[in-house]
Amino acid sequence: MGCNSCSTGKDGQPKGCKNNGTCGTDSCNKLTVFDWLSNMNLPNGEEPFNWVEVRYKNGRKHYYKNTENLTLNIGDVVATQAQYGHDVGTVTLTGELVRVQMKRKKIPFNGDEVFKVYRKASQKDIDIWVSAREKEEKMKVKARQFAIDLNLKMKISDIEYQGDASKATFYYTAEERVDFRELIKIFAREFKTRIEMKQVGFRQEAARLGGIGSCGRELCCSTWLTDFRSVSTSAARYQQLSLNPQKLAGQCGKLKCCLNYELDTYLEAINEFPKTDIKLETQKGLAVCQKTDIFKGIMWYAYEGEWANWFKITKDQAKEIIAQNKKNKKVASLEEFSAEVPAEEDTKTNFENVVGQDSLTRFDSKKPKKRRNNKRRKSRNKRRKPQNKKNNEK
C-alpha cells in the first residue's frame, strides 16, 4: 500500500516517499508491477527487450517501443506517440517483464498500431502537461452542468487531457444509449480543444476514481485488479453470507469483486458435505438440514414438525445415515449421533497489555457519585418516632 499522496502528484512523481516511484515495494503508483528481474543480468549477447510500459492518469497504461534505444528507468517521464500529437506519461516497467505483460494481455509486438517513445520529456513538455492537468477539475464541473442542462441521462466521472493539451477525453457512465452530439459541440465551443467521449462501466469508474473499501484498504480495482469478472449472488450463498445488498455491494454499486476470491475454496469444501436437500430417514421421522458449518464440518438437522429442536451431527455421521438409508435401513434417532459430538467449550481470551498503552476508556466521563442527604433522613426519622410510641401505647 502506497501512501495517500503518492498517486496524486500533478507532475506524475510520487510526493510521499520522495523516491521517484522506485521504492522497495514499488507501490507508489496505481496498478504497479514489481520488477523482480531488475537485479538480474541478461545472458551474453542477449539484447534487452526494447518495449516499456507507460502509465497515465488513474492507472491507464499502454506499451511503447523504444526505437531510439533511450536509457529508461522506472519513474522517468517520457513523451510518447499518440494518434494525434504526443502524450506524456511515466514509465512503470522495463525489461523482460514488459514482454510477459504484453503476452498476457495479447498485445502484438509488430503491427500497424505499434506506437513508440519519442524522447524523455523536457521541462517544456512537463509544464504544458501540468497546466493542462490543472484545468481538468474546473472543466468537469462545467461539463456536468452542460449535461444537466441538456437533460442527458449520463454522468461525467473524469476528464483526462492529453500531454500536449491538444485533446481532452471525457469519461462517462450511462445506463442507456445517450445522444451527445449536441453536447460535443458545446464542449468544443467552450473548451476550444479536440473532444473525445468514452463510455466506461461502473466498475471501471470506481477503478479510475479510487477510494477506500469497507475492509479499510484501497479498492482492489484501483491498486492491482485488472480483470473484472462477473460476480453473482450465488457466490454469497455458497459462502453462507446474508443477501444484504448494502453489505455485498461495493462503491461501484455492483457486487464486490472480493466475493470471488475465496469462492473456489468454499466450493471444494462443500463437495465434502452431503447435499442439504437430502432428508435423513429415522425411526422417529424425517429430518431436514437446517444449517451447515463448513469450517467445523458440522450440520444441524431438525425433525419435520419439530423445527425448533435442532440436532448437531458431523458430516461423516450424515453420510453414514444416508448410506444406511440407501440400503433401506433407518437409524433409531438423531439423538444417538448428536450425543457423540463433543460440546463446544466457551473459551475466553484474555489479552495482555504488552505494549503498555493506556486504556481506551480513560477519557470517558465518570458518573458522579450520588451523595446521600443524611440531614433529610434524620429529620424524617425524628418525625416517625413519636407516632410509633403512640401506636405502642394503644
Side-chain angles (χ1 to χ4, degrees), residues 222-244:
S222 63
T223 51
W224 63 271
L225 187 63
T226 56
D227 56 337
F228 299 97
R229 299 180 181 178
S230 61
V231 185
S232 60
T233 54
S234 60
R237 291 193 182 96
Y238 286 128
Q239 299 177 50
Q240 300 180 359
L241 300 175
S242 61
L243 299 179
N244 187 350

Side-chain angles (χ1 to χ4, degrees), residues 24-40:
T25 58
D26 195 29
S27 60
C28 288
N29 299 322
K30 293 183 178 181
L31 301 177
T32 56
V33 178
F34 180 72
D35 191 0
W36 52 276
L37 295 175
S38 59
N39 296 329
M40 299 181 68

Side-chain angles (χ1 to χ4, degrees), residues 30-90:
K30 293 183 178 181
L31 301 177
T32 56
V33 178
F34 180 72
D35 191 0
W36 52 276
L37 295 175
S38 59
N39 296 329
M40 299 181 68
N41 297 324
L42 293 172
N44 294 330
E46 187 73 20
E47 295 182 358
F49 190 61
N50 62 342
W51 285 72
V52 293
E53 182 186 72
V54 181
R55 181 187 63 87
Y56 299 98
K57 181 182 178 183
N58 288 337
R60 182 173 66 89
K61 290 183 178 181
H62 288 291
Y63 297 90
Y64 297 91
K65 194 171 185 179
N66 186 8
T67 57
E68 303 297 330
N69 294 326
L70 301 173
T71 304
L72 299 176
N73 298 316
I74 296 175
D76 291 340
V77 181
V78 293
T80 59
Q81 182 182 359
Q83 188 174 4
Y84 300 101
H86 70 273
D87 207 347
V88 178
T90 307

Side-chain angles (χ1 to χ4, degrees), residues 85-101:
H86 70 273
D87 207 347
V88 178
T90 307
V91 177
T92 55
L93 199 62
T94 60
E96 291 298 319
L97 281 185
V98 181
R99 190 200 303 270
V100 176
Q101 292 290 329

